[in-house]
Amino acid sequence: MKLHYSFKTLLTTLVVGSTSLVAETIVLNEDDGNGKILRITSPDELHLDPDTIVVAVDVFGNEDSEVNGVLFQTDKTDDDTIGLVERDSVRVDLESTHFIDGWAAAPDFVGGDGNSAENLSAIMEDIRWSQAPNPLTMDVSGLAAGGLYEVQILVNEGADRDRHWDISVNDVLTVDDFTSEGTNEDPDVWSPENTFVYVGEFEASGDGELSIIMQQHIGGQ
């Protein structure tokens, strides 16, 4: 039996792009059709195309940085429980009950273009998190109405801990019981060299919005 440390959801990075899924992934739940899980050790295993990424957020990051040609913008504001990133017409509003600068040691990523592995490793050090039952919310606006967008949500536990939460997009449950160890199947567990990414493709609302919520998973095993 695994313990469920359900008191907290955590987030390090949000990336929204305008193209389809491209990477080989591990399916979290083959029956739901609502996205897949990546275990990554390098920025090269993400879909980072400067021509198609509309916004990339370094959650509670210290400064903007570039990964494989994509600019990751910090969402820090004067009110630390609220994050904000704006790029061209797109706006991302984030809200959490808590935040930590330097939550974990940087993962030992490799590869990437130039300093990309180092930059992505640094991005993964900082988090936003919310105390249950409060959600962690990400509202993306300024998208094309009805447009299809790829969403990449990166998390980094920072240690061999097994926390669980759910993810919904535009009021639809897309991940029932995401874990900070990636999936519920071994050997997809955290190590100092890896972290995990949820990837899904979603249709923006008629108002050009995506509403993403991460919240405590109810139940367990």
Side-chain angles (χ1 to χ4, degrees):
M1 176 182 291
K2 290 185 177 180
L3 270 180
H4 284 212
Y5 296 93
S6 306
F7 63 89
K8 152 177 176 174
T9 58
L10 53 92
L11 172 73
T12 57
T13 303
L14 172 70
V15 182
V16 179
S18 59
T19 59
S20 300
L21 307 181
V22 295
E24 292 225 1
T25 59
I26 303 164
V27 177
L28 177 65
N29 183 341
E30 294 186 12
D31 296 327
D32 63 21
N34 287 323
K36 301 178 180 181
I37 300 296
L38 293 169
R39 178 179 58 170
I40 66 163
T41 59
S42 167
D44 297 331
E45 295 169 307
L46 295 171
H47 184 201
L48 297 177
D49 181 349
D51 293 330
T52 60
I53 299 298
V54 296
V55 67
V57 183
D58 178 359
V59 173
F60 211 67
N62 294 322
E63 60 184 2
D64 297 349
S65 61
E66 193 170 284
V67 180
N68 282 7
V70 173
L71 180 65
F72 283 70
Q73 299 172 249
T74 178
D75 71 338
K76 279 188 176 178
T77 64
D78 292 337
D79 181 352
D80 286 334
T81 61
I82 296 175
L84 172 64
V85 163
E86 293 180 286
R87 182 179 179 187
D88 299 327
S89 63
V90 177
R91 174 181 172 125
V92 182
D93 292 275
L94 299 95
E95 187 168 353
S96 64
T97 62
H98 295 75
F99 47 87
I100 303 177
D101 189 5
W103 156 252
D108 295 326
F109 289 150
V110 296
D113 176 33
N115 295 323
S116 292
E118 180 180 347
N119 289 345
L120 185 60
S121 295
I123 286 170
M124 303 307 292
E125 293 181 280
D126 310 315
I127 66 168
R128 291 189 177 278
W129 66 277
S130 284
Q131 187 83 33
N134 300 286
L136 192 156
T137 64
M138 298 160 272
D139 294 315
V140 186
S141 57
L143 303 172
L148 286 176
Y149 290 89
E150 180 190 71
V151 175
Q152 301 177 78
I153 300 175
L154 287 74
V155 301
N156 182 33
E157 180 59 53
D160 189 10
R161 293 182 288 256
D162 188 21
R163 306 185 198 273
H164 292 236
W165 59 88
D166 298 335
I167 303 175
S168 65
V169 180
N170 285 355
D171 298 322
V172 175
L173 180 66
T174 61
V175 180
D176 182 13
D177 197 14
F178 180 88
T179 92
S180 58
E181 293 195 332
T183 74
N184 292 315
E185 301 296 332
D186 291 333
D188 300 308
V189 296
W190 175 89
S191 79
E193 292 80 30
N194 72 20
T195 195
F196 296 93
V197 187
Y198 169 65
V199 185
E201 190 175 73
F202 303 98
E203 183 177 322
S205 71
D207 295 326
E209 298 176 351
L210 290 172
S211 175
I212 304 165
I213 298 175
M214 297 168 58
Q215 192 158 23
Q216 174 191 15
H217 175 72
I218 304 301
Q221 55 187 352

